[in-house]
Coordinates of all heavy atoms in Angstrom, one line a residue:
M1 N -24.3 -9.6 7.8 CA -23.4 -10.3 7.1 C -22.8 -9.5 6.0 O -23.4 -8.9 5.3 CB -24.1 -11.6 6.6 CG -23.2 -12.5 5.8 SD -24.1 -14.0 5.4 CE -22.8 -15.0 5.1
A2 N -21.4 -9.6 5.9 CA -20.7 -8.8 4.8 C -20.9 -9.4 3.5 O -21.0 -10.7 3.4 CB -19.3 -8.6 5.1
S3 N -21.0 -8.6 2.5 CA -21.2 -9.1 1.1 C -19.8 -9.3 0.6 O -18.9 -8.4 0.7 CB -22.0 -8.0 0.3 OG -22.0 -8.4 -1.1
H4 N -19.7 -10.4 -0.2 CA -18.3 -10.7 -0.8 C -18.4 -10.7 -2.4 O -17.6 -11.3 -3.0 CB -17.8 -12.0 -0.3 CG -17.5 -12.0 1.2 ND1 -16.5 -11.3 1.7 CD2 -18.2 -12.5 2.2 CE1 -16.6 -11.4 3.0 NE2 -17.5 -12.2 3.4
T5 N -19.4 -9.9 -2.8 CA -19.4 -9.9 -4.3 C -18.4 -9.0 -4.9 O -17.9 -8.1 -4.2 CB -20.9 -9.4 -4.7 OG1 -21.0 -8.0 -4.3 CG2 -22.0 -10.2 -4.1
P6 N -18.1 -9.2 -6.1 CA -17.0 -8.2 -6.8 C -17.5 -6.8 -6.6 O -16.7 -5.9 -6.5 CB -17.0 -8.7 -8.2 CG -17.4 -10.2 -8.2 CD -18.4 -10.3 -7.0
T7 N -18.8 -6.6 -6.9 CA -19.3 -5.2 -6.8 C -19.1 -4.6 -5.4 O -18.7 -3.4 -5.3 CB -20.8 -5.1 -7.2 OG1 -20.9 -5.7 -8.5 CG2 -21.3 -3.7 -7.3
A8 N -19.4 -5.4 -4.4 CA -19.1 -4.9 -3.1 C -17.7 -4.6 -2.8 O -17.4 -3.6 -2.1 CB -19.7 -5.9 -2.0
A9 N -16.8 -5.5 -3.3 CA -15.4 -5.3 -3.1 C -14.9 -4.0 -3.8 O -14.1 -3.2 -3.3 CB -14.7 -6.5 -3.6
I10 N -15.4 -3.7 -5.0 CA -15.0 -2.5 -5.8 C -15.6 -1.3 -5.0 O -14.8 -0.3 -4.8 CB -15.6 -2.6 -7.2 CG1 -14.8 -3.6 -8.0 CG2 -15.5 -1.2 -7.8 CD1 -15.5 -3.9 -9.3
A11 N -16.8 -1.4 -4.5 CA -17.3 -0.2 -3.8 C -16.5 0.1 -2.5 O -16.3 1.2 -2.1 CB -18.8 -0.5 -3.4
N12 N -16.1 -1.1 -1.8 CA -15.3 -0.9 -0.6 C -13.9 -0.3 -0.9 O -13.4 0.6 -0.2 CB -15.1 -2.2 0.1 CG -14.4 -2.0 1.4 OD1 -14.7 -1.2 2.2 ND2 -13.4 -2.9 1.7
A13 N -13.3 -0.7 -2.0 CA -12.0 -0.1 -2.5 C -12.2 1.3 -2.8 O -11.3 2.1 -2.4 CB -11.5 -0.9 -3.7
D14 N -13.3 1.7 -3.6 CA -13.5 3.1 -3.9 C -13.7 3.8 -2.6 O -13.2 5.1 -2.5 CB -14.7 3.2 -4.8 CG -14.4 2.8 -6.3 OD1 -13.2 2.6 -6.6 OD2 -15.3 2.9 -7.0
S15 N -14.4 3.4 -1.7 CA -14.7 4.0 -0.4 C -13.3 4.3 0.4 O -13.1 5.5 0.8 CB -15.6 3.2 0.5 OG -15.7 3.8 1.8
E16 N -12.4 3.4 0.3 CA -11.1 3.5 1.0 C -10.2 4.6 0.2 O -9.6 5.4 0.9 CB -10.3 2.2 1.0 CG -11.0 1.2 2.0 CD -10.3 -0.1 2.0 OE1 -9.2 -0.3 1.3 OE2 -10.8 -1.0 2.7
I17 N -10.4 4.6 -1.1 CA -9.7 5.6 -1.9 C -10.1 7.0 -1.6 O -9.3 7.9 -1.4 CB -9.7 5.2 -3.4 CG1 -8.9 3.9 -3.7 CG2 -9.1 6.4 -4.2 CD1 -9.1 3.4 -5.1
W18 N -11.5 7.1 -1.5 CA -12.1 8.4 -1.2 C -11.7 8.9 0.2 O -11.4 10.0 0.4 CB -13.6 8.5 -1.4 CG -14.0 8.6 -2.8 CD1 -14.6 7.6 -3.6 CD2 -13.8 9.7 -3.6 NE1 -14.8 8.2 -4.9 CE2 -14.3 9.4 -4.9 CE3 -13.2 10.9 -3.5 CZ2 -14.2 10.3 -6.0 CZ3 -13.2 11.8 -4.5 CH2 -13.7 11.5 -5.8
A19 N -11.5 8.0 1.1 CA -11.1 8.3 2.4 C -9.6 8.8 2.4 O -9.3 9.8 3.1 CB -11.3 7.2 3.4
A20 N -8.8 8.2 1.6 CA -7.3 8.6 1.4 C -7.4 10.0 0.8 O -6.6 10.9 1.2 CB -6.6 7.6 0.7
V21 N -8.1 10.2 -0.2 CA -8.2 11.5 -0.9 C -8.5 12.6 0.0 O -7.9 13.6 0.1 CB -9.3 11.4 -2.0 CG1 -9.6 12.9 -2.5 CG2 -8.8 10.6 -3.2
S22 N -9.5 12.4 1.0 CA -9.9 13.3 1.9 C -8.7 13.7 2.9 O -8.4 14.8 3.1 CB -11.0 12.9 2.7 OG -11.3 13.7 3.8
A23 N -8.0 12.6 3.3 CA -6.9 12.8 4.2 C -5.8 13.5 3.6 O -5.2 14.5 4.2 CB -6.4 11.4 4.8
F24 N -5.4 13.2 2.3 CA -4.3 13.8 1.7 C -4.6 15.3 1.2 O -3.7 16.2 1.2 CB -3.8 13.0 0.5 CG -3.0 11.8 1.0 CD1 -3.4 10.6 1.0 CD2 -1.6 12.1 1.3 CE1 -2.6 9.5 1.5 CE2 -0.8 11.0 1.8 CZ -1.3 9.8 1.9
E25 N -5.9 15.6 1.0 CA -6.3 16.9 0.6 C -6.1 17.8 1.9 O -5.7 18.9 1.8 CB -7.7 17.0 0.1 CG -7.8 16.5 -1.3 CD -9.2 16.5 -2.0 OE1 -10.1 16.5 -1.3 OE2 -9.3 16.5 -3.2
K26 N -6.4 17.2 3.1 CA -6.1 18.0 4.2 C -4.7 18.3 4.5 O -4.3 19.4 5.0 CB -6.8 17.3 5.4 CG -8.3 17.3 5.4 CD -8.8 16.5 6.6 CE -10.4 16.5 6.5 NZ -11.1 15.6 7.4
I27 N -3.8 17.3 4.1 CA -2.4 17.5 4.3 C -2.0 18.7 3.3 O -1.2 19.5 3.8 CB -1.6 16.3 4.0 CG1 -1.9 15.2 5.0 CG2 -0.1 16.6 3.8 CD1 -1.4 13.8 4.6
L28 N -2.5 18.7 2.2 CA -2.1 19.8 1.2 C -2.6 21.1 1.7 O -2.0 22.1 1.3 CB -2.7 19.5 -0.2 CG -1.9 18.3 -1.0 CD1 -2.5 18.2 -2.3 CD2 -0.4 18.6 -1.0
E29 N -3.7 21.2 2.4 CA -4.2 22.5 2.9 C -3.1 23.0 3.9 O -2.8 24.1 4.0 CB -5.5 22.3 3.7 CG -6.7 22.0 2.8 CD -7.9 21.8 3.5 OE1 -8.0 22.1 4.8 OE2 -8.9 21.2 2.9
A30 N -2.5 22.0 4.6 CA -1.5 22.5 5.6 C -0.1 22.7 5.0 O 0.7 23.6 5.3 CB -1.3 21.5 6.8
V31 N 0.2 21.7 4.0 CA 1.6 21.8 3.3 C 1.3 21.7 1.9 O 1.3 20.6 1.3 CB 2.4 20.7 3.9 CG1 3.9 20.8 3.3 CG2 2.5 20.6 5.4
P32 N 1.1 22.8 1.2 CA 0.7 22.8 -0.3 C 1.7 22.1 -1.2 O 1.4 21.8 -2.3 CB 0.5 24.2 -0.6 CG 0.3 24.9 0.7 CD 1.0 24.1 1.8
T33 N 3.0 22.0 -0.7 CA 4.0 21.5 -1.6 C 4.4 20.0 -1.2 O 5.5 19.6 -1.6 CB 5.2 22.4 -1.7 OG1 5.7 22.5 -0.4 CG2 4.8 23.7 -2.3
D34 N 3.6 19.4 -0.4 CA 3.9 18.0 0.1 C 3.9 17.0 -1.1 O 2.8 16.7 -1.7 CB 2.9 17.6 1.2 CG 3.3 16.2 1.7 OD1 3.2 15.2 1.0 OD2 3.9 16.2 2.9
R35 N 5.0 16.6 -1.6 CA 5.2 15.8 -2.7 C 4.4 14.5 -2.7 O 3.7 14.0 -3.6 CB 6.6 15.6 -3.2 CG 7.2 16.8 -3.7 CD 8.7 16.7 -4.0 NE 9.0 15.7 -4.9 CZ 10.2 15.6 -5.3 NH1 11.2 16.5 -5.0 NH2 10.6 14.6 -6.2
L36 N 4.5 13.8 -1.5 CA 3.9 12.5 -1.3 C 2.4 12.6 -1.3 O 1.6 11.8 -2.0 CB 4.2 11.9 0.0 CG 3.6 10.5 0.4 CD1 4.0 9.5 -0.7 CD2 3.9 10.1 1.8
A37 N 1.8 13.7 -0.7 CA 0.3 13.9 -0.8 C -0.1 14.2 -2.3 O -1.1 13.7 -2.7 CB 0.0 15.1 0.1
I38 N 0.6 15.0 -3.0 CA 0.3 15.3 -4.4 C 0.3 14.1 -5.2 O -0.7 13.8 -6.0 CB 1.2 16.4 -5.0 CG1 1.1 17.7 -4.2 CG2 0.9 16.7 -6.4 CD1 2.1 18.8 -4.4
E39 N 1.4 13.3 -5.1 CA 1.6 12.1 -5.9 C 0.4 11.0 -5.5 O -0.1 10.4 -6.4 CB 2.9 11.5 -5.8 CG 3.1 10.4 -6.8 CD 4.6 10.0 -6.9 OE1 5.4 10.4 -6.1 OE2 4.9 9.1 -7.8
T40 N 0.2 10.9 -4.3 CA -0.8 10.0 -3.9 C -2.2 10.3 -4.5 O -3.0 9.5 -4.8 CB -0.9 9.9 -2.3 OG1 0.4 9.5 -1.9 CG2 -2.0 9.0 -1.8
L41 N -2.6 11.6 -4.4 CA -3.7 12.1 -5.0 C -3.8 11.9 -6.5 O -4.9 11.4 -7.0 CB -4.0 13.6 -4.6 CG -4.4 13.9 -3.1 CD1 -4.2 15.3 -2.8 CD2 -5.8 13.4 -2.9
A42 N -2.8 12.1 -7.2 CA -2.7 11.8 -8.6 C -3.1 10.3 -8.8 O -3.8 9.9 -9.7 CB -1.4 12.1 -9.2
D43 N -2.4 9.5 -8.0 CA -2.6 8.0 -8.2 C -4.1 7.6 -7.9 O -4.7 6.9 -8.5 CB -1.7 7.2 -7.2 CG -0.2 7.3 -7.7 OD1 0.1 7.7 -8.8 OD2 0.6 7.0 -6.9
A44 N -4.6 8.2 -6.7 CA -5.9 7.9 -6.3 C -6.9 8.3 -7.4 O -7.9 7.5 -7.6 CB -6.3 8.6 -4.9
F45 N -6.9 9.5 -7.9 CA -7.8 9.9 -8.9 C -7.7 9.0 -10.2 O -8.7 8.7 -10.9 CB -7.7 11.3 -9.2 CG -8.4 12.2 -8.2 CD1 -7.7 12.9 -7.3 CD2 -9.7 12.2 -8.1 CE1 -8.3 13.6 -6.2 CE2 -10.4 12.9 -7.1 CZ -9.7 13.7 -6.1
E46 N -6.5 8.5 -10.5 CA -6.3 7.7 -11.7 C -7.0 6.3 -11.4 O -7.8 5.8 -12.2 CB -4.8 7.4 -12.0 CG -4.6 6.5 -13.1 CD -3.2 6.4 -13.5 OE1 -2.3 7.3 -13.1 OE2 -2.8 5.6 -14.4
K47 N -6.9 5.8 -10.2 CA -7.6 4.6 -9.8 C -9.1 4.7 -9.8 O -9.8 3.8 -10.2 CB -7.2 4.1 -8.5 CG -5.7 3.5 -8.5 CD -5.3 3.1 -7.1 CE -3.9 2.7 -7.1 NZ -3.3 2.4 -5.9
L48 N -9.6 6.0 -9.5 CA -11.0 6.2 -9.5 C -11.5 6.5 -10.9 O -12.7 6.6 -11.1 CB -11.3 7.4 -8.6 CG -11.1 7.2 -7.1 CD1 -11.1 8.4 -6.3 CD2 -12.2 6.2 -6.6
G49 N -10.7 6.6 -11.8 CA -11.0 6.9 -13.3 C -11.1 8.3 -13.6 O -11.7 8.6 -14.7
D50 N -10.7 9.2 -12.7 CA -10.8 10.6 -13.0 C -9.5 11.0 -13.5 O -8.6 11.6 -12.8 CB -11.2 11.4 -11.8 CG -11.5 12.8 -12.1 OD1 -11.1 13.4 -13.1 OD2 -12.2 13.5 -11.3
K51 N -9.2 10.8 -14.9 CA -7.9 11.1 -15.5 C -7.6 12.6 -15.5 O -6.4 13.0 -15.3 CB -7.9 10.6 -16.9 CG -8.2 9.1 -17.0 CD -7.0 8.3 -16.6 CE -7.3 6.8 -17.0 NZ -6.4 5.9 -16.5
A52 N -8.6 13.5 -15.6 CA -8.4 14.9 -15.6 C -7.9 15.4 -14.2 O -6.9 16.1 -14.2 CB -9.7 15.6 -16.0
K53 N -8.5 14.9 -13.2 CA -8.1 15.3 -11.8 C -6.7 14.7 -11.5 O -5.8 15.4 -11.0 CB -9.1 14.8 -10.9 CG -8.9 15.4 -9.5 CD -9.5 16.8 -9.4 CE -9.7 17.1 -7.9 NZ -10.1 18.5 -7.7
S54 N -6.4 13.5 -12.0 CA -5.1 12.9 -11.8 C -4.1 13.7 -12.5 O -3.0 14.0 -12.0 CB -5.0 11.4 -12.4 OG -3.8 11.0 -12.3
Q55 N -4.4 14.1 -13.7 CA -3.3 15.0 -14.6 C -3.1 16.3 -13.9 O -2.0 16.8 -13.9 CB -3.9 15.1 -15.9 CG -2.9 15.7 -16.9 CD -3.4 15.7 -18.3 OE1 -4.6 15.6 -18.6 NE2 -2.4 15.9 -19.2
Q56 N -4.2 16.9 -13.3 CA -4.0 18.2 -12.6 C -3.0 18.0 -11.4 O -2.1 18.9 -11.1 CB -5.3 18.7 -12.0 CG -6.3 19.2 -13.1 CD -7.6 19.5 -12.5 OE1 -7.9 19.3 -11.3 NE2 -8.5 20.1 -13.3
Y57 N -3.1 16.9 -10.7 CA -2.2 16.7 -9.6 C -0.8 16.4 -10.1 O 0.2 16.8 -9.5 CB -2.7 15.7 -8.6 CG -3.7 16.2 -7.7 CD1 -5.1 15.9 -7.7 CD2 -3.2 17.0 -6.6 CE1 -6.0 16.3 -6.9 CE2 -4.2 17.5 -5.7 CZ -5.5 17.2 -5.9 OH -6.5 17.7 -5.0
L58 N -0.7 15.7 -11.2 CA 0.7 15.4 -11.8 C 1.3 16.8 -12.2 O 2.5 17.0 -11.9 CB 0.5 14.5 -13.0 CG 0.4 13.0 -12.6 CD1 0.2 12.3 -13.9 CD2 1.6 12.5 -11.8
L59 N 0.6 17.7 -12.8 CA 1.1 19.0 -13.2 C 1.4 19.8 -12.0 O 2.5 20.5 -11.9 CB 0.1 19.7 -14.0 CG -0.2 19.2 -15.4 CD1 -1.3 19.9 -16.2 CD2 1.2 19.2 -16.3
R60 N 0.7 19.6 -10.9 CA 1.1 20.3 -9.7 C 2.4 19.8 -9.1 O 3.2 20.5 -8.5 CB -0.1 20.2 -8.6 CG 0.1 20.9 -7.3 CD -1.1 20.8 -6.4 NE -0.9 21.4 -5.2 CZ -1.9 21.6 -4.2 NH1 -3.0 21.2 -4.5 NH2 -1.5 22.0 -3.0
L61 N 2.5 18.4 -9.2 CA 3.7 17.8 -8.8 C 4.9 18.3 -9.6 O 6.0 18.5 -9.0 CB 3.6 16.3 -8.9 CG 4.8 15.4 -8.3 CD1 5.1 15.8 -6.9 CD2 4.5 14.0 -8.5
V62 N 4.7 18.5 -10.9 CA 5.8 19.0 -11.7 C 6.3 20.4 -11.2 O 7.4 20.7 -11.1 CB 5.3 19.1 -13.2 CG1 6.3 20.0 -14.0 CG2 5.2 17.7 -13.8
D63 N 5.3 21.2 -10.9 CA 5.6 22.6 -10.3 C 6.5 22.5 -9.1 O 7.4 23.1 -8.9 CB 4.3 23.3 -10.0 CG 3.5 23.8 -11.2 OD1 4.2 23.8 -12.3 OD2 2.4 24.1 -11.1
V64 N 6.2 21.6 -8.2 CA 6.9 21.4 -6.9 C 8.3 20.9 -7.2 O 9.2 21.3 -6.7 CB 6.1 20.5 -5.9 CG1 7.0 20.1 -4.8 CG2 4.8 21.1 -5.5
V65 N 8.3 19.9 -8.1 CA 9.7 19.3 -8.5 C 10.5 20.5 -9.1 O 11.7 20.5 -8.8 CB 9.5 18.1 -9.5 CG1 10.7 17.8 -10.2 CG2 8.9 17.0 -8.7
L66 N 10.0 21.3 -9.9 CA 10.7 22.4 -10.5 C 11.2 23.4 -9.4 O 12.3 23.8 -9.4 CB 9.9 23.0 -11.6 CG 9.7 22.3 -12.9 CD1 8.7 23.1 -13.8 CD2 11.0 22.1 -13.6
L67 N 10.2 23.6 -8.4 CA 10.5 24.6 -7.4 C 11.7 24.0 -6.6 O 12.5 24.8 -6.1 CB 9.3 24.7 -6.5 CG 9.3 25.6 -5.3 CD1 9.5 27.1 -5.8 CD2 8.2 25.5 -4.5
E68 N 11.7 22.7 -6.3 CA 12.8 22.1 -5.6 C 14.0 21.7 -6.4 O 14.9 21.2 -5.8 CB 12.2 20.9 -4.9 CG 11.2 21.1 -3.9 CD 10.5 19.9 -3.3 OE1 10.8 18.8 -3.7 OE2 9.7 20.0 -2.3
N69 N 14.0 22.0 -7.7 CA 15.0 21.8 -8.6 C 15.6 20.3 -8.5 O 16.8 20.1 -8.4 CB 16.2 22.7 -8.2 CG 17.2 22.8 -9.4 OD1 16.9 22.6 -10.6 ND2 18.5 23.1 -9.1
D70 N 14.6 19.4 -8.5 CA 14.8 18.0 -8.5 C 14.8 17.4 -9.8 O 13.8 16.8 -10.3 CB 13.8 17.3 -7.5 CG 14.0 15.8 -7.4 OD1 15.0 15.3 -7.9 OD2 13.2 15.2 -6.7
S71 N 15.9 17.4 -10.5 CA 16.0 17.0 -11.8 C 15.8 15.4 -11.9 O 15.5 14.9 -13.0 CB 17.2 17.4 -12.6 OG 18.4 16.9 -11.8
A72 N 16.1 14.7 -10.9 CA 16.0 13.2 -10.9 C 14.5 12.8 -11.0 O 14.2 11.8 -11.6 CB 16.6 12.7 -9.7
A73 N 13.6 13.6 -10.5 CA 12.2 13.2 -10.6 C 11.5 13.5 -12.0 O 10.5 12.9 -12.3 CB 11.4 14.0 -9.5
G74 N 12.2 14.4 -12.7 CA 11.6 14.8 -13.9 C 11.3 13.7 -15.0 O 10.1 13.6 -15.5
P75 N 12.1 12.8 -15.3 CA 11.9 11.8 -16.3 C 10.6 10.9 -16.0 O 9.8 10.6 -16.8 CB 13.1 10.9 -16.3 CG 14.2 11.8 -15.9 CD 13.5 12.7 -14.9
G76 N 10.4 10.5 -14.7 CA 9.3 9.8 -14.4 C 8.0 10.5 -14.5 O 7.0 9.9 -15.0
L77 N 8.0 11.8 -14.2 CA 6.8 12.7 -14.4 C 6.5 12.8 -15.8 O 5.4 12.8 -16.3 CB 6.9 14.0 -13.7 CG 7.0 13.9 -12.2 CD1 7.3 15.2 -11.5 CD2 5.6 13.5 -11.7
I78 N 7.5 13.0 -16.6 CA 7.3 13.3 -18.0 C 6.7 12.0 -18.6 O 5.7 12.1 -19.4 CB 8.7 13.6 -18.8 CG1 9.0 15.0 -18.4 CG2 8.5 13.5 -20.3 CD1 10.5 15.4 -18.7
E79 N 7.2 10.8 -18.2 CA 6.7 9.5 -18.8 C 5.1 9.4 -18.4 O 4.4 9.0 -19.3 CB 7.5 8.4 -18.2 CG 7.1 7.1 -18.7 CD 7.9 5.9 -18.2 OE1 9.2 6.2 -18.2 OE2 7.4 4.9 -17.7
R80 N 4.8 9.7 -17.2 CA 3.4 9.7 -16.8 C 2.6 10.6 -17.5 O 1.4 10.3 -17.9 CB 3.3 9.8 -15.3 CG 3.8 8.7 -14.5 CD 3.6 8.9 -13.0 NE 2.2 8.8 -12.6 CZ 1.8 8.9 -11.3 NH1 2.6 9.2 -10.3 NH2 0.5 8.9 -11.1
L81 N 3.0 11.8 -17.7 CA 2.2 12.8 -18.5 C 2.1 12.4 -19.9 O 1.0 12.6 -20.6 CB 2.8 14.2 -18.3 CG 2.6 14.9 -16.9 CD1 3.5 16.0 -16.7 CD2 1.2 15.2 -16.7
E82 N 3.2 12.0 -20.5 CA 3.1 11.5 -22.0 C 2.1 10.4 -22.1 O 1.4 10.3 -23.1 CB 4.5 11.0 -22.3 CG 5.4 12.2 -22.6 CD 6.8 11.7 -23.1 OE1 7.2 10.5 -22.8 OE2 7.5 12.6 -23.7
A83 N 2.0 9.5 -21.1 CA 1.0 8.5 -21.1 C -0.5 9.0 -21.3 O -1.2 8.4 -22.1 CB 1.0 7.6 -19.9
Y84 N -0.7 10.1 -20.6 CA -2.0 10.7 -20.8 C -2.3 11.2 -22.2 O -3.3 11.1 -22.8 CB -2.2 11.9 -19.8 CG -2.5 11.4 -18.4 CD1 -1.7 11.6 -17.4 CD2 -3.8 10.8 -18.1 CE1 -1.9 11.2 -16.1 CE2 -4.0 10.4 -16.8 CZ -3.1 10.6 -15.9 OH -3.5 10.1 -14.6
G85 N -1.2 11.8 -22.8 CA -1.2 12.3 -24.1 C -1.5 11.2 -25.2 O -2.2 11.3 -26.1
R86 N -0.8 10.0 -24.9 CA -1.1 8.8 -25.8 C -2.5 8.4 -25.7 O -3.1 8.0 -26.7 CB -0.1 7.7 -25.5 CG 1.3 8.0 -25.9 CD 2.2 6.8 -25.8 NE 2.4 6.3 -24.4 CZ 3.4 6.7 -23.6 NH1 4.2 7.7 -24.0 NH2 3.5 6.2 -22.4
E87 N -3.0 8.4 -24.5 CA -4.4 7.9 -24.3 C -5.4 8.8 -25.0 O -6.3 8.3 -25.7 CB -4.7 7.8 -22.8 CG -4.1 6.7 -22.1 CD -4.5 6.7 -20.6 OE1 -5.4 7.5 -20.0 OE2 -3.7 5.9 -19.8
E88 N -5.1 10.1 -24.9 CA -6.1 11.0 -25.6 C -6.0 10.9 -27.1 O -6.9 11.1 -27.7 CB -5.7 12.5 -25.1 CG -6.1 12.7 -23.7 CD -5.8 14.2 -23.2 OE1 -5.4 15.0 -24.1 OE2 -5.8 14.3 -22.0
A89 N -4.8 10.7 -27.6 CA -4.6 10.5 -29.0 C -5.4 9.3 -29.5 O -5.8 9.3 -30.7 CB -3.1 10.4 -29.4
M90 N -5.5 8.3 -28.7 CA -6.2 7.1 -29.1 C -7.8 7.3 -29.2 O -8.5 6.5 -29.8 CB -6.0 5.9 -28.2 CG -4.5 5.4 -28.3 SD -4.3 4.1 -27.2 CE -2.6 3.7 -27.3
L91 N -8.2 8.3 -28.5 CA -9.7 8.5 -28.5 C -10.3 9.0 -29.7 O -10.0 9.4 -30.6 CB -10.0 9.4 -27.2 CG -9.7 8.9 -25.9 CD1 -10.0 10.0 -24.9 CD2 -10.4 7.7 -25.5

């Protein structure tokens, strides 16, 4: 019988996130500049509470955006990175 407790639901969600992390890391092995994979990994690690790893992927995404000369993506990335800076300042 499946457990429907909040703890079980959280564990299941984390398990699904880790499965996605594994899949998207494999994509990056094949296509290191895949923006969707990089952004998905940044989001996944943020959901898992690993802010440092999330920030690393955001910075990697910045590199790809600069490489592709996509100025439209810049403001959103800057906003996300600034949010990390504000969080750190509050600590």
Side-chain angles (χ1 to χ4, degrees):
M1 179 174 199
S3 176
H4 296 289
T5 65
T7 304
I10 291 169
N12 186 46
D14 282 356
S15 175
E16 289 177 9
I17 293 171
W18 280 111
V21 164
S22 177
F24 281 100
E25 285 178 337
K26 288 178 183 171
I27 290 169
L28 286 182
E29 288 176 16
V31 186
T33 58
D34 186 287
R35 288 171 61 170
L36 178 62
I38 297 168
E39 188 167 10
T40 300
L41 286 164
D43 293 342
F45 281 107
E46 185 172 345
K47 287 178 183 171
L48 291 167
D50 190 339
K51 303 283 187 191
K53 193 81 165 176
S54 177
Q55 192 173 17
Q56 287 175 355
Y57 278 107
L58 283 177
L59 291 171
R60 183 170 174 178
L61 185 57
V62 168
D63 288 341
V64 173
V65 165
L66 289 172
L67 180 69
E68 295 176 354
N69 199 26
D70 182 1
S71 59
L77 287 171
I78 291 169
E79 185 177 311
R80 287 183 71 180
L81 288 167
E82 284 176 341
Y84 282 113
R86 287 190 298 272
E87 286 177 14
E88 289 177 12
M90 290 182 190
L91 296 178

